[in-house]
Amino acid sequence: MKRDSLIVLLLVLFCIKPQEIQAQDSHEAVAAVINSLIEIDDPDRSTKVFGQDLFSSVVLRRFYSKRLFLPAWTDGATLPEIAYEMRYDIQQIQFDGLNPNDYHLQAINQLFNRFESARRGQGEFSMVDFANLDILLTDAYIIISSHLYLGKINPESLKSEWNIQRSAPELMIDERLNQALQNQSIRKSFEELYPSFLVYRKMRDALRFLYEDEKRFQSNPVAQWKTLKIDKSIKLGDSHSQMDEIRARLRFWKYLDDDQPEDHKIYDSLMQPAIIKLQKRHGMDPDGVIGQGTIHALNQKPIDLIATARINMERFRWLPENVKDQEVILVNTANFQLDFIAKKDTLLSSRVIVGKNYHSTPQFSAEMSYLVFSPTWTIPNSITRNEIIPAVKKNPDYLTSKNMKVLTANGQEVNAASIDWQKVNPRNFPYIIRQEPGEQNALGLVKFMFPNKYSVYIHDTPARSLFAREDRALSHGCIRLQKPFEFAKILLQQDPTWTDEKIRESMKLSKERIVNLDRKIPVVILYLTFWTDSSGNEYFRRDIYNRDQEILTALNQPRGRKSGI
């Protein structure tokens, strides 16, 4: 029998303590055990180590075969600092919104405890234990790397469509791990895989603080909140039976000092600044009035906000890496806002109106290539059937009053008066309805085009008053813009012939004017219900499209996507 084989047999059968053999022999002995554990003949059979299913069999075997199966985290006699660092980083992964138990933490802790006991002379730690621990730490590194880089969830598997394209070159995680081990820099190697947006690190800090808030919540019986309800808005000076409870929650979130005097049932002036801070955090108009939106925010427990933060950190991991380095138009439908960003500076922010819940604006990316001044609106068949035809049946002058024309399929105008509208069947209406340019046009005076399969675009609107509303999920799916002139100006600023006067004139023509841009600008329509700014301020938004729960459920599942590893 070969010497190496004999060593392994003795170690496995008799649990000889590491210190009883030479370090080199220990190293080789662990290598032999690792080889036997991960080299299986049937590639379709899942590999189990210490009762744990391995996630990354392909990269794992490639990593160990390149190093002749020598252990990465031990010398077969002790556990160096880098192994403890790796365990710590697994524990810290919760602040990325991920679950440490997805990465063998319980089994790893069990093996670490066994090693610590053996070092104190209580029990033994065999070469098999060293091999098990080494493999589990390596597998954890590989799958954490994949999840930080691509996300735990494949967004294409979700019911709510995600069509924001991302190019993700292969990571070569085995090579990254070798480099991290050589440099003794596991933490840095993980940080390099964070989403490129600087706010991600601020979001990570925010989640850490939320976990601290959850600990305070669990340790404080007073904070076991019941659901607050109000029948009407509470204004400054009003009395309400739940004011003490509202005040307690403001103190919990540190919006209100503990030592401030109070009138128990009265909404007093000392409370109002705290309410305004809460409203800003949750995207409400900071008017200091306690309405239904404010009550909803007050009902959010730390665990609810932790869930929202986890969901959106996962969304950030799905975003393209190159968004931060170029001109980009970002529309966050959950925040009802458009931002035009160039070289990391926000050059324009504007309120927007987005799709209703049942006409939700999709999540996708495209390229803006042209805009249309004084647009016509060819009304979609669904709107014609469900809204226009019923309106004409009630009011024969409806089309004229709205500056609409009836057209054949080939664009020939039809005299609307020649149609017997009372006999029209909306299901087989053979004509097209088009609204002509003008102040009444539903698309306003300009539309901004980024061709996509959803037929979604950004446009002006004559219904300006709607931008004053907090809930602006009001459209059929397209995005209505509060600042169309300013947006057109910034898109055309590289051409000096497009003066303010020329833009305004073009917005009031009797016929459409198409203007091609001199470059294509990425447009990303996304849905974020939590983020931070560069200063670390947190912002939460209502889940208007009910998209969060599906992601949370998937995050809480024990396994994420393997991403071919």
Side-chain angles (χ1 to χ4, degrees), residues 33-61:
V33 178
I34 290 173
N35 189 2
S36 69
L37 288 173
I38 67 174
E39 282 295 299
I40 56 177
D41 296 331
D42 182 1
D44 295 326
R45 182 166 62 88
S46 64
T47 305
K48 277 186 178 288
V49 168
F50 202 64
Q52 298 285 299
D53 288 321
L54 299 181
F55 296 159
S56 55
S57 56
V58 174
V59 177
L60 190 79
R61 290 169 190 159

Side-chain angles (χ1 to χ4, degrees), residues 279 282-287 289 292-294 334-336 351-352 466-473:
Q279 290 173 332
H282 289 267
M284 291 169 273
D285 288 334
D287 57 8
V289 176
Q292 295 297 341
T294 304
N335 190 36
F336 309 114
R351 289 188 171 200
V352 297
L466 296 179
F467 289 108
R469 295 178 55 167
E470 283 185 3
D471 182 355
R472 297 192 292 278

